[in-house]
């Protein structure tokens, strides 16, 4: 079936460094790719999203890039801070799945001071 | 800022019992969703709901599950006869449009003993 793969599963960076999380998807007709941040004991929080008609989107320290040919998209966090520590999930909306989001397995990001 | 709310935050039930999980979506949103997350695993889609009927459902959403919008604000998920494997975090989400951003609630942790 259609799938979203996410790497790495854990990522540790020093405060101020950049963090990059990558996802690949299988359905070439996918058209919407959100990223969620989940802090301990809370629900997923939408932090940024991108649609298939653009290649990059930026919001302050967070950016997402999309390569439709290679079927992968990435989350970039610059100037990381300890409060960026959380689990990050990528997701994709597949052509045949209506409005359902299909999630990756998550990346646990730890930003150390 | 409007938020999706969910009650209860934690529900413990015995195998075979019925449970109802409740959600209040964001007030001007028209599309509603349930997802679940088994401990340590990825978020999985269960069902979407629009205009008082199910739009789509996953293989997980079998005859034991049902959803309802009993009034103008609540959206519920009922599990008729719970099994041990139903233990998970259940997240409600809502979006203004079908292809729009989905905002998640804080979740209900369901423990089936």
């Amino acid at each position: 079936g259609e799938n979203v793969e996410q790497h790495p599963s854990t990522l540790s960076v020093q405060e101020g460094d950049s963090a990059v999380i990558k996802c690949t998807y299988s359905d070439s007709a996918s058209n919407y790719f959100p990223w969620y941040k989940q802090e301990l004991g809370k629900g997923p929080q939408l932090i940024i999203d991108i649609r298939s008609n653009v290649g990059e989107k930026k919001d302050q320290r967070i950016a997402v890039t999309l390569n439709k040919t290679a079927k992968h998209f990435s989350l970039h966090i610059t100037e990381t801070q300890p409060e960026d520590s959380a689990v990050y999930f990528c997701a994709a909306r597949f052509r045949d799945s209506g409005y359902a989001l299909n999630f990756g397995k998550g990346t646990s990001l730890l930003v150390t001071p | 800022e409007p938020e999706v709310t969910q009650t209860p935050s934690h529900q413990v039930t015995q195998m075979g019992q019925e449970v109802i999980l409740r959600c209040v979506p964001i007030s001007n949103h028209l599309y509603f969703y349930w997802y679940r997350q088994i401990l340590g695993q990825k978020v999985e889609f269960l069902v979407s709901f629009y205009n008082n009927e199910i739009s789509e459902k996953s293989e997980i959403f079998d005859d034991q599950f049902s959803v309802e919008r009993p009034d103008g604000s609540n959206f519920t998920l009922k599990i008729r006869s719970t099994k041990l494997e139903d233990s998970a975090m259940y997240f409600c989400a809502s979006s203004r449009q079908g292809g729009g951003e989905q905002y998640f609630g804080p979740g209900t942790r369901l423990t089936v003993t």
Side-chain angles (χ1 to χ4, degrees):
Chain A
E2 305 293 1
N3 206 15
V4 177
E5 297 287 339
Q6 183 171 348
H7 300 280
S9 55
T10 60
L11 179 60
S12 183
V13 300
Q14 283 209 311
E15 184 176 359
D17 288 350
S18 294
V20 181
I21 303 170
K22 299 183 179 181
C23 288
T24 59
Y25 59 97
S26 52
D27 181 6
S28 58
S30 297
N31 57 14
Y32 176 64
F33 309 91
W35 284 89
Y36 287 85
K37 174 183 180 183
Q38 187 176 28
E39 295 173 298
L40 201 61
K42 297 186 178 179
Q45 175 196 2
L46 179 66
I47 56 172
I48 196 166
D49 58 7
I50 192 167
R51 296 186 187 272
S52 57
N53 56 346
V54 296
E56 184 172 359
K57 186 175 177 181
K58 203 169 179 180
D59 182 3
Q60 299 182 352
R61 297 187 295 109
I62 294 172
V64 56
T65 58
L66 172 65
N67 183 326
K68 285 170 55 180
T69 305
K71 293 188 286 186
H72 69 69
F73 57 113
S74 300
L75 178 71
H76 305 252
I77 306 173
T78 58
E79 299 170 32
T80 53
Q81 300 164 4
E83 49 265 38
D84 293 330
S85 297
V87 179
Y88 290 81
F89 290 95
C90 64
R93 182 176 289 141
F94 298 147
R95 170 187 50 197
D96 292 331
S97 66
Y99 301 131
L101 294 177
N102 296 271
F103 283 80
K105 288 189 175 180
T107 296
S108 179
L109 173 65
L110 178 65
V111 181
T112 53
Chain B
E1 186 176 310
E3 291 181 334
V4 176
T5 59
Q6 290 185 243
T7 54
S9 56
H10 191 190
Q11 173 91 49
V12 181
T13 189
Q14 285 195 324
M15 200 166 53
Q17 296 296 305
E18 173 185 287
V19 293
I20 297 177
L21 311 182
R22 301 179 195 280
C23 166
V24 179
I26 294 173
S27 63
N28 62 349
H29 285 191
L30 301 176
Y31 292 79
F32 315 118
Y33 313 85
W34 284 101
Y35 291 81
R36 80 170 184 192
Q37 184 180 32
I38 294 172
L39 189 64
Q41 297 187 23
K42 65 179 180 179
V43 178
E44 301 173 289
F45 170 76
L46 294 178
V47 66
S48 62
F49 190 86
Y50 169 71
N51 200 26
N52 277 322
E53 58 182 32
I54 291 174
S55 310
E56 56 189 320
K57 57 185 180 179
S58 71
E59 290 176 354
I60 303 168
F61 194 88
D62 61 21
D63 292 345
Q64 292 301 310
F65 291 88
S66 62
V67 289
E68 194 179 25
R69 187 149 164 87
D71 53 44
S73 58
N74 289 281
F75 178 52
T76 62
L77 174 70
K78 183 196 289 188
I79 309 175
R80 241 178 295 280
S81 177
T82 49
K83 305 180 203 134
L84 293 176
E85 53 265 38
D86 293 328
S87 295
M89 280 290 283
Y90 287 81
F91 294 107
C92 173
S94 69
S95 64
R96 197 184 321 180
Q97 302 163 341
E101 297 86 1
Q102 294 183 21
Y103 295 91
F104 282 68
T108 293
R109 178 169 297 284
L110 177 65
T111 302
V112 182
T113 61

